[in-house]
């Protein structure tokens, strides 16, 4: 891993990020570049709202599974409205880009629109390591007492695991999907079942 430092912000690149980009580029150069651009646009949506709401960023980490923004302070110290706005902003940026790009006549721009829409929707899935799961956890913690929140988060983790395993089995039995899909689902399964998520 190597890291670049700018005053208060550090930008870190894990080796797994370069390995993933290389693999995806070998599989499909155009889609890999467009997918990376859509991921960057998604994170820019988060960063824009964080800047507007005054949430300072400590670190931006590029790793094999994507890009992670780490705020100076835990979201636990941020108000509920700000947290939801930041979490929703990434997918909103993707959907806005998809709507605008879909109006273009160029087929590559239409493909980029579809990739943005898929990344926006994917990040809203109720998996705890994605924005959708973080939104659910935030709502649970906001409106439930501590014991009930712990119980609901535990159930969410189990449901995530069961759904991901089911999707993996269905795609495998149908002979559908591709390497990227299987790697993504396996990653989500490991993260969903790990203690830290």
């Amino acid at each position: 891993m190597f890291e670049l430092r700018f005053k208060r912000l550090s930008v870190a690149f894990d080796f797994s990020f370069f390995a993933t980009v290389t693999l995806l580029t070998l599989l499909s150069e155009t889609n890999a570049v467009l997918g990376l651009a859509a991921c960057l646009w998604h994170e820019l949506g988060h960063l824009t709202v964080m800047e507007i709401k005054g949430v300072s960023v400590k670190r931006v980490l590029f790793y094999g599974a994507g890009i992670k923004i780490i705020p100076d302070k835990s979201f636990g110290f941020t108000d509920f409205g700000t947290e939801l706005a930041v979490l929703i902003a990434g997918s909103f940026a993707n959907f806005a880009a998809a709507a605008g790009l879909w109006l273009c006549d160029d087929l590559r721009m239409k493909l980029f629109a579809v990739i943005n829409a898929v990344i926006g929707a994917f990040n809203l899935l109720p998996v705890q390591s994605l924005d959708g799961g973080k939104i659910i956890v935030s709502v649970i913690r906001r409106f439930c007492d501590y014991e009930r929140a712990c119980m609901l988060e535990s159930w969410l983790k189990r449901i995530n695991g069961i759904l991901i395993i089911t999707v993996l089995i269905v795609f495998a039995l149908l002979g559908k999907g591709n390497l990227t899909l299987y790697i993504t689902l396996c990653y989500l399964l490991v993260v969903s079942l790990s203690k830290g998520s």
Side-chain angles (χ1 to χ4, degrees):
M1 178 182 307
F2 74 91
E3 198 165 341
L4 304 170
R5 294 189 179 274
F6 308 94
K7 293 186 182 178
R8 298 174 299 145
L9 174 69
S10 76
V11 179
F13 294 87
D14 188 79
F15 171 76
S16 62
F17 172 75
F18 298 109
T20 303
V21 169
T22 302
L23 177 64
L24 292 175
T25 302
L26 290 172
L27 294 173
S28 173
E29 185 177 325
T30 301
N31 292 348
V33 171
L34 293 177
L36 181 58
C39 287
L40 289 169
W41 185 252
H42 178 92
E43 298 306 325
L44 186 61
H46 290 307
L47 285 169
T48 301
V49 173
M50 290 174 86
E51 182 67 29
I52 291 168
K53 294 287 192 174
V55 178
S56 60
V57 177
K58 178 181 180 181
R59 188 177 202 205
V60 178
L61 173 63
F62 290 78
Y63 66 113
I67 306 163
K68 184 174 185 176
I69 300 171
I70 302 160
D72 250 345
K73 296 178 181 174
S74 164
F75 267 148
F77 298 107
T78 305
D79 69 273
F80 180 67
T82 298
E83 185 173 0
L84 285 183
V86 169
L87 290 171
I88 292 169
S91 290
F92 179 81
N94 287 127
F95 294 141
L101 292 167
W102 190 255
L103 301 173
C104 296
D105 291 332
D106 184 13
L107 287 177
R108 187 170 286 184
M109 289 297 105
K110 286 195 183 289
L111 175 62
F112 192 34
V114 170
I115 290 172
N116 267 286
V118 168
I119 287 176
F122 176 79
N123 274 283
L124 289 178
L125 290 174
V127 177
Q128 284 176 300
S129 58
L130 300 175
D131 296 336
K134 291 175 185 172
I135 290 168
I136 290 173
V137 168
S138 180
V139 169
I140 288 171
R141 290 178 181 173
R142 171 82 164 122
F143 296 106
C144 296
D145 61 66
Y146 180 77
E147 286 182 25
R148 185 175 303 236
C150 289
M151 181 192 70
L152 290 172
E153 286 180 49
S154 175
W155 274 102
L156 178 62
K157 187 179 284 195
R158 289 183 189 131
I159 291 168
N160 285 172
I162 291 167
L163 287 175
I164 293 167
I165 290 169
T166 303
V167 170
L168 269 168
I169 291 170
V170 168
F171 273 96
L173 290 174
L174 295 175
K176 301 290 184 184
N178 58 32
L179 181 63
T180 305
L181 174 71
Y182 291 119
I183 290 171
T184 302
L185 288 171
C186 288
Y187 167 78
L188 289 176
L189 180 62
V190 169
V191 170
S192 293
L193 298 179
S194 69
K195 290 183 179 179
S197 66

